[in-house]
Structure formats: C-alpha cells, structure tokens
mmCIF file of all heavy atoms in Angstrom:
data_model
loop_
_atom_site.group_PDB
_atom_site.id
_atom_site.type_symbol
_atom_site.label_atom_id
_atom_site.label_comp_id
_atom_site.label_asym_id
_atom_site.label_seq_id
_atom_site.Cartn_x
_atom_site.Cartn_y
_atom_site.Cartn_z
ATOM 1 N N VAL A 197 0.844 -1.188 0.000
ATOM 2 C CA VAL A 197 0.000 0.000 0.000
ATOM 3 C C VAL A 197 0.883 1.243 0.000
ATOM 4 O O VAL A 197 1.834 1.341 0.787
ATOM 5 C CB VAL A 197 -0.918 0.014 1.230
ATOM 6 C CG1 VAL A 197 -1.729 1.309 1.272
ATOM 7 C CG2 VAL A 197 -1.852 -1.187 1.218
ATOM 8 N N GLN A 198 0.585 2.163 -0.870
ATOM 9 C CA GLN A 198 1.288 3.446 -0.900
ATOM 10 C C GLN A 198 0.300 4.566 -0.613
ATOM 11 O O GLN A 198 -0.809 4.576 -1.149
ATOM 12 C CB GLN A 198 1.965 3.662 -2.252
ATOM 13 C CG GLN A 198 3.105 2.687 -2.515
ATOM 14 C CD GLN A 198 3.809 2.965 -3.827
ATOM 15 O OE1 GLN A 198 3.189 3.348 -4.811
ATOM 16 N NE2 GLN A 198 5.110 2.785 -3.834
ATOM 17 N N LEU A 199 0.712 5.502 0.225
ATOM 18 C CA LEU A 199 -0.143 6.612 0.636
ATOM 19 C C LEU A 199 0.523 7.923 0.256
ATOM 20 O O LEU A 199 1.706 8.121 0.540
ATOM 21 C CB LEU A 199 -0.380 6.570 2.140
ATOM 22 C CG LEU A 199 -0.924 5.264 2.719
ATOM 23 C CD1 LEU A 199 -0.966 5.327 4.244
ATOM 24 C CD2 LEU A 199 -2.302 4.971 2.163
ATOM 25 N N VAL A 200 -0.252 8.808 -0.344
ATOM 26 C CA VAL A 200 0.270 10.109 -0.747
ATOM 27 C C VAL A 200 -0.655 11.190 -0.210
ATOM 28 O O VAL A 200 -1.837 11.236 -0.558
ATOM 29 C CB VAL A 200 0.382 10.228 -2.276
ATOM 30 C CG1 VAL A 200 0.898 11.613 -2.655
ATOM 31 C CG2 VAL A 200 1.309 9.142 -2.824
ATOM 32 N N GLU A 201 -0.101 12.067 0.644
ATOM 33 C CA GLU A 201 -0.878 13.159 1.225
ATOM 34 C C GLU A 201 -0.714 14.424 0.398
ATOM 35 O O GLU A 201 0.292 14.618 -0.284
ATOM 36 C CB GLU A 201 -0.425 13.470 2.655
ATOM 37 C CG GLU A 201 -0.420 12.308 3.605
ATOM 38 C CD GLU A 201 0.972 11.798 3.858
ATOM 39 O OE1 GLU A 201 1.823 11.935 2.962
ATOM 40 O OE2 GLU A 201 1.223 11.265 4.959
ATOM 41 N N SER A 202 -1.694 15.297 0.534
ATOM 42 C CA SER A 202 -1.619 16.624 -0.068
ATOM 43 C C SER A 202 -2.522 17.558 0.725
ATOM 44 O O SER A 202 -3.379 17.097 1.497
ATOM 45 C CB SER A 202 -2.049 16.594 -1.531
ATOM 46 O OG SER A 202 -3.395 16.169 -1.647
ATOM 47 N N GLY A 203 -2.300 18.857 0.545
ATOM 48 C CA GLY A 203 -3.214 19.836 1.128
ATOM 49 C C GLY A 203 -2.673 20.644 2.287
ATOM 50 O O GLY A 203 -3.373 21.512 2.806
ATOM 51 N N GLY A 204 -1.460 20.386 2.723
ATOM 52 C CA GLY A 204 -0.915 21.170 3.826
ATOM 53 C C GLY A 204 -0.625 22.592 3.395
ATOM 54 O O GLY A 204 -0.723 22.950 2.222
ATOM 55 N N GLY A 205 -0.261 23.426 4.366
ATOM 56 C CA GLY A 205 0.074 24.804 4.052
ATOM 57 C C GLY A 205 0.142 25.673 5.279
ATOM 58 O O GLY A 205 0.080 25.191 6.413
ATOM 59 N N LEU A 206 0.255 26.968 5.036
ATOM 60 C CA LEU A 206 0.332 27.968 6.103
ATOM 61 C C LEU A 206 -0.991 28.727 6.154
ATOM 62 O O LEU A 206 -1.425 29.288 5.139
ATOM 63 C CB LEU A 206 1.480 28.934 5.816
ATOM 64 C CG LEU A 206 1.588 30.168 6.716
ATOM 65 C CD1 LEU A 206 1.854 29.755 8.159
ATOM 66 C CD2 LEU A 206 2.687 31.102 6.212
ATOM 67 N N VAL A 207 -1.615 28.720 7.322
ATOM 68 C CA VAL A 207 -2.888 29.411 7.504
ATOM 69 C C VAL A 207 -2.842 30.198 8.809
ATOM 70 O O VAL A 207 -1.901 30.060 9.594
ATOM 71 C CB VAL A 207 -4.072 28.434 7.525
ATOM 72 C CG1 VAL A 207 -4.221 27.724 6.186
ATOM 73 C CG2 VAL A 207 -3.931 27.437 8.663
ATOM 74 N N GLN A 208 -3.877 30.986 9.036
ATOM 75 C CA GLN A 208 -3.973 31.758 10.268
ATOM 76 C C GLN A 208 -4.947 31.098 11.244
ATOM 77 O O GLN A 208 -5.769 30.267 10.847
ATOM 78 C CB GLN A 208 -4.426 33.181 9.955
ATOM 79 C CG GLN A 208 -3.446 33.967 9.111
ATOM 80 C CD GLN A 208 -3.893 35.405 8.888
ATOM 81 O OE1 GLN A 208 -5.077 35.712 8.936
ATOM 82 N NE2 GLN A 208 -2.928 36.304 8.649
ATOM 83 N N THR A 209 -4.832 31.487 12.483
ATOM 84 C CA THR A 209 -5.737 30.965 13.501
ATOM 85 C C THR A 209 -7.193 31.175 13.092
ATOM 86 O O THR A 209 -7.561 32.269 12.672
ATOM 87 C CB THR A 209 -5.473 31.658 14.850
ATOM 88 O OG1 THR A 209 -4.135 31.357 15.275
ATOM 89 C CG2 THR A 209 -6.441 31.164 15.908
ATOM 90 N N GLY A 210 -7.976 30.102 13.207
ATOM 91 C CA GLY A 210 -9.378 30.173 12.850
ATOM 92 C C GLY A 210 -9.693 29.757 11.431
ATOM 93 O O GLY A 210 -10.869 29.551 11.083
ATOM 94 N N ASP A 211 -8.666 29.626 10.621
ATOM 95 C CA ASP A 211 -8.864 29.219 9.230
ATOM 96 C C ASP A 211 -9.146 27.730 9.119
ATOM 97 O O ASP A 211 -9.058 26.974 10.101
ATOM 98 C CB ASP A 211 -7.631 29.563 8.394
ATOM 99 C CG ASP A 211 -7.532 31.037 8.091
ATOM 100 O OD1 ASP A 211 -8.496 31.776 8.393
ATOM 101 O OD2 ASP A 211 -6.483 31.462 7.565
ATOM 102 N N SER A 212 -9.468 27.311 7.898
ATOM 103 C CA SER A 212 -9.725 25.899 7.602
ATOM 104 C C SER A 212 -8.733 25.398 6.569
ATOM 105 O O SER A 212 -8.174 26.169 5.785
ATOM 106 C CB SER A 212 -11.157 25.715 7.069
ATOM 107 O OG SER A 212 -12.111 26.102 8.034
ATOM 108 N N LEU A 213 -8.564 24.084 6.577
ATOM 109 C CA LEU A 213 -7.659 23.434 5.636
ATOM 110 C C LEU A 213 -8.145 22.003 5.456
ATOM 111 O O LEU A 213 -8.666 21.395 6.394
ATOM 112 C CB LEU A 213 -6.238 23.444 6.187
ATOM 113 C CG LEU A 213 -5.042 23.371 5.255
ATOM 114 C CD1 LEU A 213 -5.045 24.528 4.259
ATOM 115 C CD2 LEU A 213 -3.752 23.376 6.067
ATOM 116 N N MET A 214 -7.985 21.476 4.255
ATOM 117 C CA MET A 214 -8.369 20.089 4.022
ATOM 118 C C MET A 214 -7.168 19.294 3.523
ATOM 119 O O MET A 214 -6.507 19.692 2.563
ATOM 120 C CB MET A 214 -9.509 19.985 3.011
ATOM 121 C CG MET A 214 -10.043 18.564 2.868
ATOM 122 S SD MET A 214 -11.502 18.449 1.814
ATOM 123 C CE MET A 214 -10.742 18.661 0.199
ATOM 124 N N LEU A 215 -6.913 18.190 4.175
ATOM 125 C CA LEU A 215 -5.856 17.270 3.758
ATOM 126 C C LEU A 215 -6.478 16.075 3.047
ATOM 127 O O LEU A 215 -7.567 15.625 3.416
ATOM 128 C CB LEU A 215 -5.069 16.776 4.967
ATOM 129 C CG LEU A 215 -4.463 17.836 5.886
ATOM 130 C CD1 LEU A 215 -3.674 17.161 7.004
ATOM 131 C CD2 LEU A 215 -3.588 18.793 5.117
ATOM 132 N N SER A 216 -5.773 15.586 2.050
ATOM 133 C CA SER A 216 -6.231 14.403 1.321
ATOM 134 C C SER A 216 -5.146 13.343 1.338
ATOM 135 O O SER A 216 -3.955 13.659 1.340
ATOM 136 C CB SER A 216 -6.584 14.760 -0.121
ATOM 137 O OG SER A 216 -7.694 15.624 -0.180
ATOM 138 N N CYS A 217 -5.586 12.106 1.302
ATOM 139 C CA CYS A 217 -4.656 10.974 1.249
ATOM 140 C C CYS A 217 -5.203 9.983 0.232
ATOM 141 O O CYS A 217 -6.328 9.488 0.389
ATOM 142 C CB CYS A 217 -4.532 10.330 2.625
ATOM 143 S SG CYS A 217 -3.537 8.821 2.633
ATOM 144 N N VAL A 218 -4.410 9.731 -0.782
ATOM 145 C CA VAL A 218 -4.796 8.760 -1.806
ATOM 146 C C VAL A 218 -4.009 7.480 -1.587
ATOM 147 O O VAL A 218 -2.777 7.513 -1.468
ATOM 148 C CB VAL A 218 -4.539 9.306 -3.217
ATOM 149 C CG1 VAL A 218 -4.938 8.276 -4.262
ATOM 150 C CG2 VAL A 218 -5.306 10.609 -3.432
ATOM 151 N N ALA A 219 -4.723 6.378 -1.530
ATOM 152 C CA ALA A 219 -4.098 5.071 -1.311
ATOM 153 C C ALA A 219 -4.071 4.282 -2.608
ATOM 154 O O ALA A 219 -5.077 4.171 -3.299
ATOM 155 C CB ALA A 219 -4.865 4.293 -0.248
ATOM 156 N N SER A 220 -2.915 3.745 -2.933
ATOM 157 C CA SER A 220 -2.793 2.850 -4.079
ATOM 158 C C SER A 220 -2.406 1.473 -3.561
ATOM 159 O O SER A 220 -1.732 1.351 -2.539
ATOM 160 C CB SER A 220 -1.747 3.355 -5.069
ATOM 161 O OG SER A 220 -0.485 3.433 -4.445
ATOM 162 N N GLY A 221 -2.871 0.449 -4.265
ATOM 163 C CA GLY A 221 -2.554 -0.898 -3.832
ATOM 164 C C GLY A 221 -3.255 -1.267 -2.547
ATOM 165 O O GLY A 221 -2.742 -2.052 -1.761
ATOM 166 N N ARG A 222 -4.446 -0.705 -2.297
ATOM 167 C CA ARG A 222 -5.171 -0.972 -1.048
ATOM 168 C C ARG A 222 -5.562 -2.429 -0.983
ATOM 169 O O ARG A 222 -6.165 -2.960 -1.911
ATOM 170 C CB ARG A 222 -6.409 -0.084 -0.973
ATOM 171 C CG ARG A 222 -7.179 -0.235 0.316
ATOM 172 C CD ARG A 222 -8.214 0.877 0.456
ATOM 173 N NE ARG A 222 -9.280 0.774 -0.513
ATOM 174 C CZ ARG A 222 -10.397 0.081 -0.329
ATOM 175 N NH1 ARG A 222 -10.557 -0.597 0.792
ATOM 176 N NH2 ARG A 222 -11.335 0.060 -1.245
ATOM 177 N N PRO A 223 -5.251 -3.108 0.108
ATOM 178 C CA PRO A 223 -5.599 -4.516 0.229
ATOM 179 C C PRO A 223 -7.096 -4.686 0.421
ATOM 180 O O PRO A 223 -7.792 -3.768 0.821
ATOM 181 C CB PRO A 223 -4.829 -4.966 1.470
ATOM 182 C CG PRO A 223 -4.633 -3.730 2.268
ATOM 183 C CD PRO A 223 -4.505 -2.619 1.265
ATOM 184 N N SER A 224 -7.585 -5.857 0.123
ATOM 185 C CA SER A 224 -9.004 -6.127 0.307
ATOM 186 C C SER A 224 -9.288 -6.361 1.776
ATOM 187 O O SER A 224 -8.386 -6.487 2.596
ATOM 188 C CB SER A 224 -9.406 -7.347 -0.518
ATOM 189 O OG SER A 224 -8.641 -8.464 -0.102
ATOM 190 N N GLY A 225 -10.576 -6.427 2.106
ATOM 191 C CA GLY A 225 -10.942 -6.640 3.498
ATOM 192 C C GLY A 225 -11.118 -5.336 4.239
ATOM 193 O O GLY A 225 -11.099 -4.248 3.662
ATOM 194 N N ARG A 226 -11.298 -5.450 5.545
ATOM 195 C CA ARG A 226 -11.583 -4.287 6.377
ATOM 196 C C ARG A 226 -10.321 -3.822 7.088
ATOM 197 O O ARG A 226 -9.576 -4.638 7.638
ATOM 198 C CB ARG A 226 -12.660 -4.652 7.392
ATOM 199 C CG ARG A 226 -13.273 -3.467 8.131
ATOM 200 C CD ARG A 226 -14.515 -3.934 8.873
ATOM 201 N NE ARG A 226 -15.140 -2.913 9.673
ATOM 202 C CZ ARG A 226 -16.002 -2.019 9.223
ATOM 203 N NH1 ARG A 226 -16.322 -2.010 7.956
ATOM 204 N NH2 ARG A 226 -16.543 -1.136 10.028
ATOM 205 N N GLY A 227 -10.090 -2.526 7.049
ATOM 206 C CA GLY A 227 -8.926 -1.968 7.727
ATOM 207 C C GLY A 227 -9.227 -0.578 8.230
ATOM 208 O O GLY A 227 -10.395 -0.189 8.336
ATOM 209 N N ILE A 228 -8.206 0.170 8.544
ATOM 210 C CA ILE A 228 -8.357 1.523 9.072
ATOM 211 C C ILE A 228 -7.400 2.449 8.338
ATOM 212 O O ILE A 228 -6.245 2.097 8.096
ATOM 213 C CB ILE A 228 -8.034 1.585 10.572
ATOM 214 C CG1 ILE A 228 -8.932 0.645 11.373
ATOM 215 C CG2 ILE A 228 -8.206 3.015 11.092
ATOM 216 C CD1 ILE A 228 -8.590 0.606 12.859
ATOM 217 N N MET A 229 -7.893 3.614 7.988
ATOM 218 C CA MET A 229 -7.020 4.691 7.510
ATOM 219 C C MET A 229 -7.125 5.831 8.507
ATOM 220 O O MET A 229 -8.223 6.150 8.969
ATOM 221 C CB MET A 229 -7.422 5.156 6.118
ATOM 222 C CG MET A 229 -7.075 4.151 5.033
ATOM 223 S SD MET A 229 -7.372 4.779 3.370
ATOM 224 C CE MET A 229 -6.044 5.974 3.202
ATOM 225 N N GLY A 230 -5.991 6.406 8.830
ATOM 226 C CA GLY A 230 -6.014 7.437 9.851
ATOM 227 C C GLY A 230 -5.035 8.555 9.583
ATOM 228 O O GLY A 230 -4.247 8.512 8.625
ATOM 229 N N TRP A 231 -5.115 9.567 10.417
ATOM 230 C CA TRP A 231 -4.205 10.697 10.371
ATOM 231 C C TRP A 231 -3.509 10.827 11.726
ATOM 232 O O TRP A 231 -4.150 10.738 12.782
ATOM 233 C CB TRP A 231 -4.956 11.984 10.056
ATOM 234 C CG TRP A 231 -5.461 12.070 8.657
ATOM 235 C CD1 TRP A 231 -6.693 11.703 8.200
ATOM 236 C CD2 TRP A 231 -4.739 12.554 7.521
ATOM 237 N NE1 TRP A 231 -6.780 11.920 6.852
ATOM 238 C CE2 TRP A 231 -5.596 12.447 6.403
ATOM 239 C CE3 TRP A 231 -3.461 13.070 7.321
ATOM 240 C CZ2 TRP A 231 -5.224 12.845 5.114
ATOM 241 C CZ3 TRP A 231 -3.084 13.461 6.049
ATOM 242 C CH2 TRP A 231 -3.955 13.346 4.962
#
C-alpha cells in the first residue's frame, strides 16, 4: 500500500484546511485509515 498526502500549508488561527490521502494498492478486506 502506498499513501500520498496533499493539502498542507500555512494558515492563520481560525482558518480551515483540508488534507487528502490517496491510497494505491489498497488490500481487500476491512482496515483503518487514519491521520
């Protein structure tokens, strides 16, 4: 499994930001993805 994050940056207090993680080669079955 390979994981690639994106979306970080510099923001000010109170701002919003969204991070994304794309998984390639995800195995079958039930698992957990986390930050």
Side-chain angles (χ1 to χ4, degrees):
V197 176
Q198 293 183 324
L199 306 174
V200 179
E201 306 104 331
S202 62
L206 171 63
V207 296
Q208 296 183 334
T209 297
D211 285 352
S212 298
L213 205 58
M214 187 174 74
L215 305 182
S216 294
C217 174
V218 180
S220 60
R222 183 168 68 89
S224 59
R226 192 168 177 84
I228 302 176
M229 288 187 72
W231 289 93

